[in-house]
Amino acid sequence: MTAPRTPRKQYWNEPTLGLWERLYIFEIVRGLSITGRVFCGNMWKWMTGRKGAVTAYYPEEIRGDYSPNNRGRHVLTQRADGKVQCVACNMCATVCPAYCIEIEATADFDDAAHPKSPARFEIDYSRCIFCGFCVEACPEDAIRMVKDVPDLPGFDRDVMWGTKDLLAQWHPLKDPRKPYPAPPVARKDEGAP
Amino acid sequence: MMPDLVVHGVYIACILAFLLGLATIFTWVERKQSAVMSDRIGANRAYLRIPFTQVKIVAWGLFHGAADGLKMILKENFTPTTYDRFCYNLAPWLAAVPVLLVFAVVPFGGEVQPGRFFEPGSGAAEFFGDRTYRMQIASLDAGILFVLAISGIGILGTMLAGWSSNNKFSLLGAARAASQMISYEISMGLALIAMVVTYGTVDLFEMVQWQQQATWGILVQPLAFLLFLTASIAENKRIPFDLPECESELISGYFTEYTSMKMGLFLLSEFIEIVVISALVVTLFLGGYSVPFLTTGGFVLPGGGLWEIGALGVALLQMLTFTLKVFIVGCFQIQVRWTLPRFRYDQLMDLGWKFLLPLAALNLVVTAIVRWWTL
């Protein structure tokens, strides 16, 4: 009458621990010796004046192993004459999902090619989410992101602002990796017509 | 009468400073040791700034203990709306005070004659006369029984805390704490009885003297040492036995509803208990305050030489040795805490009842037979 019993399905693994592991005390000794070895090695490094840790002492110490593609600190690029390349078009401020960019434009009609420039360009790093949209939105390649992180830690949100002077850090002549065409002023000095 | 009062007052002051100071240092050791063990730097942001300058003394983060204490005292003392007010307030003290009390019978040095510390003929020397004192707050004959009795009170503190908090997590934590501590207290007691049989006394001071004459207890009773250390760590409710307060399941277990210095008392009592356990282990198994070749006069070297260091020198050296041994055993406990993963609850109970208890009983039987044979 009764249906044949199927063996109950086992959903767990067979125990893999042998007697040695199940005695536990020897495995404890092994674990303690591993942690003790690491401790002694690191401690010896600290005592002989080296660094016995793989973590960085942020922000005093800046990690050297950021990826070159890391979206870190913003920089405003400069023209050869030192003025920022930004034309205060507000595209980055518009696209910014965190609304953390503030630009105040000013006009300089003597410079016919770039009459509009920012008088104030500020990024509120307490709100910035480092998405990089501002970099992509910029039509002038005026804002970029470099791999190292901004120096953010502080006791006050008021110090977490990146101003124009702080951000304007990339100058074509100072970047050996990105040669820039020599400025026309220099060519005139060489005696060209 | 008066000299006794002075001497024991000094002892109590010294022991309180020793316990609280070492417990604070152990909070720092725990942070730093675990950090170095896992390739990190560890807590080092708390500093003292010298006034009117920008010089900051970091001292490897030693001030984190002080910063923690200050934070605990200054925080708002938040209490749940429904609780047993009396038990709720009593519980932290019931958890912390027995831990301190256990130290009353632990000897931290040999016998001293305070009169000999001063110039003969001076007022202080005459005040103390030639009285001899053991460096031990209470020279109880009960000794180890006092330790067991007082450490049993600690369970009440955790149970009251969990029950009066009116919180399910706290209640669960308290239930776990009670069952765990009672289970492991049995193994601990049996391991201790084996030591009592070995030494032939329950007085901790005489146990140390026995070890001074013969050999360290760990060499005579290695199994009892392991059992006692395991059971003590379980009594202290630290990893791998921290089920009563495991953060991932029970928030903080029995002291979830406690804030400010009330929670600080629970945390501090945990670290004081590290010191107390270390002191007990040192006294019972590692020769206590005894230094090799040191007698009451000075070092008696095996070649027959005598190196006098004076009565005060001997006393200080013994206290220093005791502190050093306690520190090393405490560091070992912290190493265990940062090495082993937490037990499952059934594993915990299995270990306590099916492994430690039979082993402790077996150890006791073997010890008794050997002791009877050699008598």
Side-chain angles (χ1 to χ4, degrees):
Chain A
M1 285 290 281
T2 54
R5 289 182 111 189
T6 52
R8 183 175 290 174
K9 202 172 179 185
Q10 299 236 327
Y11 287 103
W12 52 85
N13 297 327
E14 288 298 309
T16 51
L17 296 182
L19 181 66
W20 186 261
E21 283 91 0
R22 274 188 289 125
L23 275 177
Y24 201 61
I25 183 82
F26 303 104
E27 292 296 303
I28 289 180
V29 171
R30 202 161 71 90
L32 285 175
S33 72
I34 289 172
T35 49
R37 202 160 56 232
V38 174
F39 177 81
C40 290
N42 283 335
M43 206 62 210
W44 177 249
K45 277 188 185 171
W46 284 118
M47 284 160 71
T48 49
R50 288 171 293 165
K51 192 179 162 196
V54 294
T55 49
Y57 190 41
Y58 184 80
E60 282 84 347
E61 196 177 40
I62 290 173
R63 280 172 59 169
D65 59 346
Y66 283 124
S67 157
N69 300 328
N70 185 36
R71 292 197 298 256
R73 189 164 51 80
H74 297 85
V75 293
L76 288 180
T77 56
Q78 289 160 288
R79 296 198 193 95
D81 58 356
K83 285 176 73 178
V84 291
Q85 208 153 315
C86 174
V87 294
C89 65
N90 253 333
M91 278 198 181
C92 51
T94 309
V95 80
C96 179
Y99 306 116
C100 68
I101 303 181
E102 275 185 42
I103 303 172
E104 193 181 306
T106 184
D108 176 16
F109 296 110
D110 295 338
D111 188 350
H114 311 286
K116 205 177 169 194
S117 67
R120 207 162 59 83
F121 187 104
E122 288 176 353
I123 296 179
D124 185 355
Y125 273 119
S126 64
R127 295 161 82 185
C128 177
I129 57 169
F130 299 93
C131 61
F133 282 7
C134 48
V135 178
E136 294 193 21
C138 186
E140 293 281 320
D141 188 25
I143 187 165
R144 294 180 187 169
M145 287 175 110
V146 292
K147 64 176 188 176
D148 49 328
V149 291
D151 186 15
L152 284 181
F155 291 101
D156 197 345
R157 284 191 164 227
D158 292 346
V159 302
M160 298 170 78
W161 282 83
T163 59
K164 193 175 86 171
D165 297 331
L166 285 174
L167 294 171
Q169 285 192 350
W170 186 83
H171 193 271
L173 297 180
K174 289 174 192 156
D175 192 346
R177 289 178 299 115
K178 292 190 178 171
Y180 202 73
V185 187
R187 239 181 280 160
K188 202 182 283 177
D189 286 350
E190 279 164 12
Chain B
M1 179 60 203
M2 274 311 281
D4 297 3
L5 209 60
V6 170
V7 165
H8 285 101
V10 170
Y11 281 174
I12 290 169
C14 283
I15 284 300
L16 271 184
F18 171 81
L19 277 180
L20 297 179
L22 210 55
T24 313
I25 288 174
F26 269 127
T27 61
W28 172 77
V29 169
E30 166 140 312
R31 286 191 174 122
K32 275 299 189 187
Q33 195 179 343
S34 64
V36 173
M37 202 183 280
S38 49
D39 289 343
R40 290 181 287 118
I41 296 173
N44 58 354
R45 288 291 173 187
Y47 57 81
L48 277 187
R49 190 165 62 83
I50 299 176
F52 309 116
T53 61
Q54 285 303 316
V55 181
K56 293 169 180 173
I57 309 170
V58 176
W60 307 291
L62 263 174
F63 298 120
H64 270 277
D68 273 349
L70 206 61
K71 181 195 77 175
M72 291 287 184
I73 291 169
L74 293 179
K75 271 205 165 183
E76 183 197 353
N77 186 14
F78 179 83
T79 48
T81 47
T82 51
Y83 63 88
D84 185 328
R85 185 179 292 271
F86 178 72
C87 292
Y88 180 85
N89 288 322
L90 182 69
W93 299 102
L94 217 48
V97 169
V99 183
L100 287 169
L101 276 182
V102 167
F103 218 92
V105 291
V106 175
F108 51 94
E111 286 183 327
V112 288
Q113 263 184 315
R116 285 176 62 195
F117 294 165
F118 304 98
E119 255 179 70
S122 66
E126 278 174 19
F127 176 68
F128 287 114
D130 52 355
R131 288 157 180 268
T132 322
Y133 294 96
R134 291 172 170 186
M135 285 169 81
Q136 188 181 17
I137 292 174
S139 308
L140 293 182
D141 292 333
I144 210 129
L145 303 179
F146 180 81
V147 171
L148 285 174
I150 295 296
S151 64
I153 297 177
I155 303 173
L156 291 181
T158 58
M159 282 172 74
L160 273 186
W163 177 70
S164 63
S165 295
N166 192 20
N167 175 325
K168 291 182 180 62
F169 291 117
S170 300
L171 193 59
L172 262 177
R176 285 182 175 190
S179 53
Q180 170 182 333
M181 287 169 88
I182 290 170
S183 308
Y184 279 82
E185 204 148 79
I186 297 171
S187 319
M188 191 168 115
L190 282 180
L192 281 182
I193 291 173
M195 295 318 289
V196 170
V197 171
T198 312
Y199 295 139
T201 173
V202 288
D203 190 346
L204 287 167
F205 193 85
E206 284 170 20
M207 287 186 178
V208 176
Q209 281 181 330
W210 189 95
Q211 292 179 76
Q212 234 168 351
Q213 283 156 12
T215 177
W216 282 8
I218 185 173
L219 300 176
V220 187
Q221 288 273 17
L223 188 59
F225 169 76
L226 278 178
L227 292 171
F228 181 74
L229 194 63
T230 314
S232 312
I233 295 174
E235 285 284 291
N236 199 3
K237 306 180 289 295
R238 281 167 67 79
I239 290 174
F241 303 102
D242 74 327
L243 285 142
E245 49 192 274
C246 48
E247 295 89 356
S248 49
E249 300 162 30
L250 297 183
I251 311 176
S252 280
Y254 56 88
F255 58 89
T256 303
E257 293 287 357
Y258 283 85
T259 47
S260 80
M261 203 54 210
K262 290 203 184 99
M263 189 190 76
L265 270 180
F266 281 115
L267 296 183
L268 191 67
S269 73
E270 180 180 319
F271 280 95
I272 295 174
E273 197 160 347
I274 295 179
V275 183
V276 169
I277 289 169
S278 308
L280 283 176
V281 166
V282 164
T283 306
L284 288 165
F285 297 99
L286 300 178
Y289 53 81
S290 65
V291 191
F293 310 124
L294 186 71
T295 59
T296 47
F299 281 102
V300 180
L301 300 177
L306 178 70
W307 181 27
E308 295 263 359
I309 51 171
L312 192 61
V314 170
L316 287 180
L317 194 64
Q318 283 172 337
M319 284 163 79
L320 193 71
T321 314
F322 183 73
T323 312
L324 198 68
K325 284 179 182 174
V326 166
F327 185 76
I328 290 170
V329 176
C331 286
F332 177 75
Q333 286 185 48
I334 289 171
Q335 172 117 11
V336 169
R337 182 243 180 275
W338 287 96
T339 301
L340 300 180
R342 183 189 296 148
F343 283 104
R344 226 168 44 216
Y345 204 76
D346 59 324
Q347 290 172 334
L348 178 90
M349 284 294 148
D350 278 356
L351 184 77
W353 288 102
K354 294 184 186 168
F355 193 69
L356 289 190
L357 185 62
L359 265 185
L362 190 72
N363 188 43
L364 175 60
V365 169
V366 172
T367 308
I369 291 172
V370 170
R371 176 80 181 166
W372 174 70
W373 200 264
T374 52
L375 263 181

